[in-house]
Amino acid sequence: MMRDTDRTERTVVLDGETLSIADVIDVAKFGAKVIYSEKATQRSRDAYGLLLQAAAEDVPVYWFNRGGGEQRETTIFSGNPMAPENEAFLRQSQFQAFADGMRSGYGEEVAGVCVRAMMVIRANTMTYEAASPPLSAMLIHLLNSGITPVVRSRGTVGEGDLRMMDNVAAAMVGHGEVHHQGERVPASVALAATGIAPLAPFGADRTALVSTNAYFHAQSALLVEEAKNMLEWADLVYAMSLLGMNSSVTPISSAVQTLRPYPWLNWSAKRVLGIIEGSYLFERDDSRIIQDPESLRASSQRHGSAWQAWADVRQSVTLSINSSDHNPAVVMESPIDDFPELGTPHFQKYFVRGGLHSGGRSGYILSTANWDPYPLANQIEAFTIALANLGIAIVQRTERFSSLYFTKVDYGEFFPAGSKGLPISDSFVAIDLWQELSSLVAPTIPTGIGMFECVEDLQANTRIKVGKARRAVELCVDLLGQNLLSATTWMDLRKRQDPGRILGRPAAEALTCFRQMVPLLNPPNLPSQPLGEAAVEFMRTNKARRFVPSFLPDNSET
């Protein structure tokens, strides 16, 4: 496992193709440095040159020499963008657009880790766009200097997180506020303190920066990381529940699992089986019932299904942060033999022959819908539903510890001090948490409200969708805290029943570590906070991979 210090000292190379979610986390959370690859730098420079050449050839380009939104048929300027009059106009209009970003958006601030994730993702995907070299460099400077713009959380309709990126744009030209070295200061002060000159934007720099779903993708990347940590704990707490219940573990047998070969379900069951390997559950016990309640018996199905939905989200996030979500798209020197439509009169209208600004290279600048965030938006909602189906299993198996029918023993027989000092789950809390989790299941209603003369008439609600998913992960962690309280107490009980019982190394180590924070039958030493909160704090400060190696199926990247 990579140490946090190693992650801090890393340098992530942005090439537009291989950025991983782990890279995003290292930059956003641990402050890893970033640089561009030579290939990505050249691709971006080529796209920028083609943009300038397109205007020089009077090729219509959306949101550059033509307007944006309802002004897309309006000519903004004509001819060579480097002609004195055009150059002065572009420099002034671009600067003003960046500076005005300080007033964009609405609502509470976005967490700094999310802002930095958004910035590194945009820096990577922007290598496909016609950004000026100084603009690309500025994103890198801000990240590497620890300057995090203040970004507002509201103002995206779900495709094109313009308002969030506008806040970043303002900081680049020294407007608005940023967080730097633990303080909130004017952007101009932070830039001066780090020796970074304010950006002088040009060309279509605002478009190149803000036309993106980077805010959504950043939250989705954080979701993948947070959910992985939760799901690893879910598997471990499930295994500890089996040990606490004296369960029949035939449902997770590999022999049984092969009869229904869903890869992620089989893998999750095998993972739990490995956690309890060598434990007393594989010894004969004539008092053990033939099968557990469904909430324990079928938990591996719920866990495996959640893992599968997680993998779908992870795959789409990885694709999204390594591809263009911009409009318009720059297509350099694509052969008509490969894309025959490019040879038709309609497409030839957007053909740039090539000249001084593009170094003689030709290409196309084409309007797109690449900013539409599907299918990731659908997969995020599907993942939320999978988490709710996992959550109800956690709630129910936690409650089953109160049933003598399944436990076959009253814990009062083995804990003479009675139940007052026992760290067990709180049913009121668990059901309260479940009610909130279940309320997140309903998909967000698709909307289409015409804006800008009905040019923009679909919305994707991604801020709401990913927000619900991240909240669902938090609630699952809270429910696992309740589950952990009961599972660990009953693991102790099974040892008191028979001191010779073996609990299995990972679960036994987790139990020992947990008891240092939440002792058994020692009320004066119990945490002063609610025990469920203590259990959650334990899981957040001790990742499950401390006790169980973190691994995924060999084909999980596909």
Side-chain angles (χ1 to χ4, degrees), residues 2 7 10-15 17-34 116-117 120-121 124 221 225 318 321-322:
M2 184 177 290
R7 304 179 80 172
R10 285 190 64 209
T11 296
V12 175
V13 179
L14 303 180
D15 59 10
E17 299 172 352
T18 60
L19 183 68
S20 69
I21 293 172
D23 291 335
V24 173
I25 300 300
D26 286 353
V27 174
K29 186 175 181 180
F30 297 99
K33 298 297 186 288
V34 289
R116 291 188 292 275
V120 70
I121 289 170
N124 192 56
E225 175 75 4
T318 302
I321 65 178
N322 287 289

Side-chain angles (χ1 to χ4, degrees), residues 295-341:
S295 54
L296 276 98
R297 188 165 23 114
S299 271
S300 70
Q301 264 75 354
R302 304 295 178 106
H303 286 229
S305 296
W307 274 111
Q308 180 175 322
W310 171 86
D312 289 342
V313 172
R314 182 190 57 167
Q315 181 183 36
S316 275
V317 171
T318 302
L319 187 154
S320 294
I321 65 178
N322 287 289
S323 57
S324 173
D325 57 356
H326 181 62
N327 179 32
V330 177
V331 180
M332 298 294 300
E333 297 180 326
S334 294
I336 291 176
D337 288 346
D338 293 339
F339 307 102
E341 68 274 13

